[in-house]
Amino acid sequence: MYRTALRNVLAHKARLLMTVLAVMLGTAFVAGTLVFTDTLGNALRSQNAKSYTDIAVTVSDRGAVGRGYDHGGKSATNAPLTEETRKAVAALPGTADARGIVSGFAGIADKKGALVGDGFSTTGTNFVPGADGTDPRYPLVEGRGPKNATEIALDAKTAEKGGYQVGDTVRVAVNGPVMELKLTGTLHTNDPRVVSGGSLAAFDTATAQQLYLSPGHFAELDVKAKPGTDDDALLAAVRQALPQGGEFEAKTGRALADEQDKMIEAGTKGMSKALLVFAGIALFVGIFIIANTFTMLIAQRTKELALLRAIGAGRRQVTRSVLIEAFLVGLTASVAGLAAGVGIAAGLRSLLNGPMEANLPDGPLVVAPGTVVTAILVGVLVTVLSALLPAIRAARIAPIAAMSSVEQPATQKSLLLRNVIGLVLTGIGAAALALGAIGKTVGLVGLGAAVLMIGVFVLTPLLARPLITLFAPLLRAVYGTPGRLARENAVRNPRRTAATASALTIGVMLITALTVVGASVNKAVDDATASDSKADYTVAMANYSMLSPDVVPQIAKAPGVTAVSGTRTVPVETGTDDSEWLTAVDANTLDQLVTVKVKDGSADALKQGKLLVSSGRSETAGHKVGDVLSVTYPDGAKGSLTVGGVMEANSVLAGVVAPEAVVGPHAQPGTGPDKVLVKGADGADAKLKQALRDATGGNPLIEVKGEADVKKENRRMITDLLSVLYGLLGMAVVIAVLGVVNTMAMSVFERRREIGMLRAIGLDRRGVGRMIRLESLLIALFGGVVGVVLGIVVAWAGLKTLGDTFKGMSTVVPPLQILGFLVAAALIGLLAALWPARRAARTDILGAIKSE
């Protein structure tokens, strides 16, 4: 039987090709994901280790606050890290050097005024030269480091992007007006924020302290040990040298590197899990192809299997024979998939570091033993399990009864049982989906969607005939006999049609659901932006940090401005486990800038020094009009705030809104609002926008956005996310296409004699090819229609759970995109049938009629 299984695999190489490809692609996705994330993690850890090679101990000041810092609102009232402390640490017997570090953010403008890099990775720090004038953290590429407040150094890539040469004047800003500084040198850095597309600006220490902390203060000390000094012993000595009363955290460089390694490992594991979800979807699609292939192979080998039974082979031996075939197919495909996965990982890294400029760290490809075992095991198990039911059916072939029939049709009883099971699963899934939507329970919606999908898949043989029959009049009218034959062939074996269509259904369902969710979220955000805000422009930092406190008065003086309100969100302690977040606004101008609809209490609550609470927050936290909240502000001061009104949820404001006059005095010193809302006398126009840019000093990090800009940015974020998800689902769609090709090709072989008879009685080659193409088209459209309907239903339920997150959320079904998916499914069906149709059209009439 083992020799028989091997012979069968070799004898049916062509018919197993698509199955091998399907398993190979799924396995390649798994292997590629594991190799890529292992390679990335290894490279990041190597880079991380280099960052701490000369650091024995590091001391961070957790109480340090200032522009460019956010430490949870804590005030710098405790002892800071000062130059005296640095000197004390440097004088320790085991210390070779103690470097004081200051860092924050700094936006670099190119020569056209645009920001270089992205706002989140605009890094600023101090250049700490040694005796030779170099900072070992940032080796010089050209020139020298900065020495005073008029000079700056940039990383080499940022200088290149900005078009700057040593000696040029660079426009740089933190959170206020632009500074124009002389570029004295360019640097090299391994900082992942910079390497991944950010920028690095290095100032002299005094300037960095002025910008980010206060004169003479550091945020961190990096201590280098003398040769032979034990790091733990030095750590104990450093802790003794630190001033009392400070919020310091001292660790060895080794411990800090280990922490970073754990963070890297957690990040790469998270990425790996996310990608493996889509690999699992691709493999799930492949299950339908594998099961379909072995089902058709067994049907075509009925006489052969019956003969084996007749000469003494037992049922277990027949089952084992088919499973061995599946094992060999799975093993071959898995090994090929592993090799393809390594290639995918290498290609993905080259793509990210090339055209996409992700600048990932270099390192060797890591093919771990676990990756090899996982890839092969997954491929083999998926193939064998998918072939299990066909193998069991093969063992049930009766020796004598099977000899007189090419294929045993499914009995009405088996279809009835399948339909009952499908109806039960569909009902349970639909009920769970509805309950999850009503109760806004994401987990229940996910479970319901999965059960509903399985139930519909079980029911697809029942659904195939009525849905495909809908197209029958059109096919007969347009294509005549080939159209009628295509319809009959498509519904002849509903199990096979269902299995083929289901593979495509999965991809269409997921893509449809994502599209509907994206369109619905876009509309909800657009509507909220238009209805909740009256402001013509919003001024904010590109990296969402706080603005300078001088920005609000500067904007208020800009020509054409009629109303201004800064908004800042700060945490306050209320005596409960969770902090309450307050959005502080200008009570006198808010009604000109934001649409506030008060449902209970006073509309003038803010002007009375009281709070406004959103209806959602009122329900969850129990805040009602008249309630008094005892709060502790970020600076440690205590106070009482009264709830003066309950308002409808507003996307511009947080759940609890307070007057700036009450909150502002307790905010972090030297910090301004998160954003500024602006109303103009003549509405939003280019003149007002330019005036706001001028008022903020042309800072490249400060963005001035109108309603259209905000909507465009929101849509771009959602579109980018959908594009990534579409790409990850692409593998499942490709495998589904292979399934259609496989089914049609094997169907042509199975119906070779029938096709020969059709040719003999007058159907020409064009008619035969058209019949096969139309059959494939019908199967693809069937899968597409079922996928679209399922996708819309699942998206509707999922959107119901987002009702509290997005105001006015409703289900939006974009008709053109949905129609596009159906057209795409039809094209997939037609393209998948090109080779099988060509093969069928070239069937030799006499040879086919003589075949059995």
Side-chain angles (χ1 to χ4, degrees):
M1 295 302 294
Y2 293 111
R3 289 197 298 270
T4 301
L6 180 60
R7 180 191 62 79
N8 285 331
V9 171
L10 296 176
H12 300 108
K13 297 187 294 293
R15 281 178 256 179
L16 290 169
L17 177 61
M18 296 302 169
T19 298
V20 171
L21 286 175
V23 178
M24 186 192 77
L25 289 176
T27 308
F29 203 153
V30 173
T33 294
L34 296 176
V35 172
F36 176 74
T37 52
D38 286 348
T39 299
L40 178 60
N42 181 67
L44 290 173
R45 286 190 293 272
S46 297
Q47 185 183 72
N48 181 53
K50 292 177 182 177
S51 301
Y52 294 98
T53 51
D54 63 340
I55 298 177
V57 175
T58 180
V59 181
S60 58
D61 185 356
R62 293 179 295 173
V65 295
R67 288 170 286 173
Y69 285 89
D70 181 5
H71 292 275
K74 294 183 179 179
S75 178
T77 57
N78 296 320
L81 284 176
T82 62
E83 176 63 18
E84 289 73 19
T85 303
R86 188 197 70 79
K87 290 180 178 178
V89 172
L92 292 173
T95 300
D97 183 34
R99 185 186 304 120
I101 305 298
V102 183
S103 60
F105 61 86
I108 310 300
D110 62 19
K111 292 191 175 181
K112 295 181 180 179
L115 179 67
V116 177
D118 65 82
F120 292 99
S121 302
T122 51
T123 306
T125 189
N126 60 324
F127 187 83
V128 187
D132 58 355
T134 64
D135 187 332
R137 297 177 301 159
Y138 307 117
L140 286 166
V141 176
E142 185 180 1
R144 61 173 177 82
K147 295 182 178 179
N148 55 57
T150 65
E151 297 177 344
I152 191 174
L154 302 176
D155 69 281
K157 288 187 177 180
T158 297
E160 181 182 353
K161 291 177 182 177
Y164 293 118
Q165 301 289 335
V166 172
D168 289 349
T169 298
V170 177
R171 300 179 72 247
V172 58
V174 179
N175 60 351
V178 171
M179 300 174 288
E180 295 189 348
L181 308 176
K182 181 181 178 181
L183 181 63
T184 61
T186 57
L187 313 169
H188 173 73
T189 177
N190 288 322
D191 189 326
R193 295 171 298 176
V194 181
V195 172
S196 61
S199 61
L200 174 68
F203 307 92
D204 69 289
T205 297
T207 301
Q209 290 173 331
Q210 182 64 37
L211 288 172
Y212 301 125
L213 288 173
S214 56
H217 290 182
F218 298 103
E220 182 180 315
L221 292 180
D222 290 343
V223 184
K224 183 178 180 180
K226 290 180 179 178
T229 302
D230 179 72
D231 289 354
D232 292 326
L234 182 58
L235 173 63
V238 168
R239 284 174 173 166
Q240 290 296 322
L242 296 175
Q244 297 296 316
E247 293 186 59
F248 305 124
E249 184 175 34
K251 298 180 179 180
T252 63
R254 182 180 62 255
L256 198 58
D258 290 342
E259 288 182 6
Q260 293 293 324
D261 284 348
K262 289 179 181 179
M263 292 176 62
I264 291 170
E265 183 179 0
T268 53
K269 278 187 177 180
M271 179 190 299
S272 179
K273 288 178 180 178
L275 291 174
L276 287 175
V277 168
F278 291 92
I281 293 171
L283 286 169
F284 183 64
V285 172
I287 288 174
F288 292 93
I289 299 173
I290 299 164
N292 215 19
T293 300
F294 277 94
T295 298
M296 295 179 75
L297 278 175
I298 288 166
Q300 294 167 12
R301 288 161 44 197
T302 302
K303 287 190 175 182
E304 174 189 325
L305 293 172
L307 181 60
L308 288 174
R309 290 293 314 282
I311 62 176
R315 288 189 173 187
R316 288 187 179 181
Q317 287 179 301
V318 173
T319 301
R320 194 180 304 134
S321 173
V322 175
L323 292 180
I324 291 171
E325 291 180 43
F327 173 81
L328 294 174
V329 170
L331 182 62
T332 302
S334 299
V335 172
L338 175 63
V342 175
I344 289 172
L348 181 58
R349 186 173 65 171
S350 298
L351 176 65
L352 291 173
N353 281 337
M356 299 184 70
E357 297 184 351
N359 297 311
L360 300 177
D362 292 328
L365 281 175
V366 178
V367 185
T371 298
V372 176
V373 172
T374 300
I376 294 177
L377 194 60
V378 165
V380 170
L381 283 177
V382 166
T383 310
V384 172
L385 291 176
S386 301
L388 183 59
L389 285 178
I392 293 173
R393 291 195 194 105
R396 291 176 179 172
I397 295 175
I400 298 177
M403 295 241 188
S404 60
S405 176
V406 176
E407 179 181 358
Q408 291 293 315
T411 64
Q412 189 64 30
K413 182 180 177 181
S414 66
L415 286 175
L416 178 62
L417 178 62
R418 175 170 177 159
N419 292 340
V420 170
I421 294 173
L423 287 171
V424 171
L425 290 174
T426 301
I428 294 173
L433 205 65
L435 290 174
I438 295 170
K440 298 180 180 180
T441 308
V442 177
L444 191 56
V445 167
L447 177 63
V451 176
L452 176 64
M453 181 180 68
I454 294 171
V456 171
F457 286 166
V458 175
L459 279 178
T460 43
L462 179 65
L463 300 173
R465 183 176 293 274
L467 288 179
I468 291 176
T469 301
L470 292 175
F471 298 97
L474 178 62
L475 292 176
R476 284 197 300 267
V478 178
Y479 298 106
T481 299
R484 183 170 60 83
L485 290 172
R487 181 260 175 193
E488 294 295 333
N489 289 334
V491 299
R492 175 191 299 181
N493 190 327
R495 291 176 182 270
R496 182 182 304 168
T497 298
T500 306
S502 294
L504 190 58
T505 295
I506 298 171
V508 175
M509 180 193 75
L510 294 174
I511 290 174
T512 299
L514 289 174
T515 301
V516 172
V517 169
S520 302
V521 171
N522 271 332
K523 186 177 185 302
V525 173
D526 284 353
D527 291 347
T529 301
S531 63
D532 291 348
S533 177
K534 298 179 183 177
D536 294 318
Y537 287 103
T538 300
V539 180
M541 299 292 289
N543 58 1
Y544 297 98
S545 60
M546 291 174 286
L547 291 158
S548 166
D550 300 328
V551 169
V552 174
Q554 289 170 348
I555 290 176
K557 296 176 184 178
V561 174
T562 59
V564 173
S565 174
T567 69
R568 76 166 88 216
T569 302
V570 297
V572 294
E573 301 293 336
T574 59
T576 60
D577 293 336
D578 298 326
S579 297
E580 188 69 80
W581 290 87
L582 305 183
T583 296
V585 297
D586 188 331
N588 296 317
T589 60
L590 184 66
D591 58 346
Q592 302 176 56
L593 299 162
V594 180
T595 303
V596 179
K597 297 180 180 178
V598 177
K599 301 173 66 176
D600 187 22
S602 173
D604 294 327
L606 293 176
K607 294 179 181 179
Q608 299 166 3
K610 298 180 180 180
L611 300 177
L612 279 179
V613 181
S614 71
S615 55
R617 188 59 186 157
S618 175
E619 292 175 3
T620 56
H623 299 326
K624 296 180 176 60
V625 174
D627 287 355
V628 178
L629 305 182
S630 297
V631 300
T632 302
Y633 292 104
D635 62 351
K638 298 183 181 296
S640 297
L641 296 174
T642 303
V643 178
V646 177
M647 63 179 184
E648 289 185 4
N650 188 292
S651 60
V652 179
L653 306 172
V656 182
V657 185
E660 169 65 19
V662 173
V663 176
H666 305 290
Q668 297 179 16
T671 62
D674 303 320
K675 60 185 177 183
V676 181
L677 306 176
V678 183
K679 186 74 174 176
D682 300 320
D685 56 23
K687 184 178 179 181
L688 177 59
K689 190 171 188 177
Q690 187 57 49
L692 296 177
R693 291 187 183 279
D694 294 340
T696 55
N699 188 330
L701 271 173
I702 296 180
E703 297 179 333
V704 180
K705 300 176 184 176
E707 180 181 317
D709 299 319
V710 173
K711 289 181 177 179
K712 183 178 179 181
E713 182 179 2
N714 291 334
R715 285 184 173 274
R716 184 175 65 248
M717 292 170 58
I718 295 171
T719 301
D720 290 346
L721 176 60
L722 289 178
S723 297
V724 172
L725 295 177
Y726 288 156
L728 292 173
L729 289 173
M731 187 69 78
V733 175
V734 171
I735 293 176
V737 173
L738 292 176
V740 179
V741 175
N742 188 55
T743 299
M744 298 312 301
M746 294 186 71
S747 178
V748 167
F749 180 85
E750 187 179 74
R751 304 199 312 253
R752 187 163 177 261
R753 186 174 185 181
E754 175 187 317
I755 292 171
M757 292 295 295
L758 289 173
R759 289 293 316 282
I761 62 177
L763 189 64
D764 59 11
R765 288 187 173 183
R766 180 178 297 180
V768 171
R770 182 173 294 166
M771 176 186 70
I772 300 299
R773 289 192 296 272
L774 290 176
E775 180 183 349
S776 178
L777 171 66
L778 287 174
I779 293 174
L781 277 176
F782 170 58
V785 169
V786 175
V788 164
V789 173
L790 276 176
I792 293 173
V793 171
V794 170
W796 166 81
L799 289 168
K800 286 293 184 181
T801 66
L802 299 177
D804 294 335
T805 305
F806 295 95
K807 177 183 174 183
M809 175 64 74
S810 60
T811 304
V812 177
V813 180
L816 292 179
Q817 287 177 277
I818 297 301
L819 180 61
F821 297 152
L822 293 176
V823 171
L827 289 175
I828 286 172
L830 291 174
L831 292 174
L834 288 179
W835 176 62
R838 183 180 179 86
R839 182 180 176 184
R842 292 185 173 184
T843 299
D844 176 68
I845 299 176
L846 295 179
I849 294 175
K850 287 165 54 180
S851 66
E852 295 183 0

